[in-house]
Amino acid sequence: MLDVLTHAAESFIGVFNQGGAVFVGFVTGILPTLIVLLTAVYALIELIGEHRIQGIARFASKNVILRYSLLPFLAVFFLTNPMAYTFGTFLRERHKPAFYDAAVSLVHPTTGLFPHCNPGELFVWMGVATGITTLAMNGDTSFSVAKLALFYLIVGLIVAVIKGIVTEWLTLFLAKREGVVFEDDEEEIEVTKAA
């Protein structure tokens, strides 16, 4: 009986020892990278200028493909999750739900190349990348983690565009069916009548 209790106690504390080892691995591995990457992104925003980044966002919102690929990517890259959704302020009301859907779709795919975008969900990417790392350690060099991260981002961009377009269509369909008129549409109608 004493052996069973001793083994149970050792197993119990072993869980916490293993958790501590993982934490130390994060502190010496990914955390410094995240801190330097966040510093670089904020420095880039300051160098480029916040007003220029907002100008790019306004330009991207005029084209349906850019609206649901470039704009969400820039939002996730520069503002990270969850602030990225505030980029929707540059869009017309009718496009905001679709932008949100596209931006949410890009939060995970960007993490492979840019871990600062969504550090809270980094464990998902690390779990995916572990298989490739294990294959590389066993001598299979046909695929790399960097290539996986790039494919992950490309597929994420494609999915974001598809989801954005479908959500935009559904928003317009439901708004028309329910008789909803968006505020910016009313302003546009009033400007047209005044002219």
Side-chain angles (χ1 to χ4, degrees):
M1 181 67 169
L2 186 59
D3 288 338
V4 171
L5 290 175
T6 303
H7 180 68
E10 288 172 348
S11 298
F12 180 76
I13 197 67
V15 169
F16 294 98
N17 287 337
Q18 186 62 38
V22 169
F23 177 73
V24 168
F26 284 157
V27 169
T28 60
I30 194 66
L31 284 180
T33 304
L34 285 174
I35 291 167
V36 170
L37 194 51
L38 278 171
T39 304
V41 167
Y42 290 130
L44 186 63
I45 291 171
E46 288 297 318
L47 289 171
I48 293 173
E50 193 173 329
H51 65 283
R52 286 191 184 107
I53 291 176
Q54 290 177 348
I56 292 169
R58 276 189 225 98
F59 169 77
S61 71
K62 294 176 183 175
N63 178 287
V64 69
I65 301 298
L66 295 178
R67 185 167 49 239
Y68 302 124
S69 61
L70 180 64
L71 190 59
F73 176 78
L74 291 175
V76 168
F77 183 81
F78 284 110
L79 298 179
T80 71
N81 187 26
M83 284 299 297
Y85 313 122
T86 62
F87 253 46
T89 59
F90 304 115
L91 299 173
R92 296 177 69 180
E93 291 297 317
R94 63 178 52 226
H95 300 138
K96 287 180 181 182
F99 169 79
Y100 174 80
D101 198 10
V104 165
S105 300
L106 274 180
V107 173
H108 287 290
T110 56
T111 306
L113 290 174
F114 310 107
H116 74 283
C117 292
N118 194 20
E121 298 290 336
L122 192 59
F123 68 91
V124 174
W125 166 251
M126 293 174 74
V128 171
T130 299
I132 300 299
T133 306
T134 303
L135 287 173
M137 290 171 67
N138 292 334
D140 184 1
T141 58
S142 61
F143 212 75
S144 70
V145 174
K147 192 186 293 185
L148 176 66
L150 188 59
F151 285 146
Y152 197 41
L153 178 60
I154 291 168
V155 169
L157 285 167
I158 293 168
V159 168
V161 169
I162 292 168
K163 286 180 73 176
I165 291 170
V166 169
T167 303
E168 181 179 318
W169 180 84
L170 286 171
T171 302
L172 297 176
F173 173 78
L174 292 173
K176 184 176 180 181
R177 187 177 80 180
E178 299 298 319
V180 173
V181 178
F182 297 101
E183 284 180 27
D184 46 11
D185 290 342
E186 287 178 347
E187 292 169 10
E188 197 173 288
I189 290 168
E190 288 173 16
V191 169
T192 306
K193 285 180 182 176

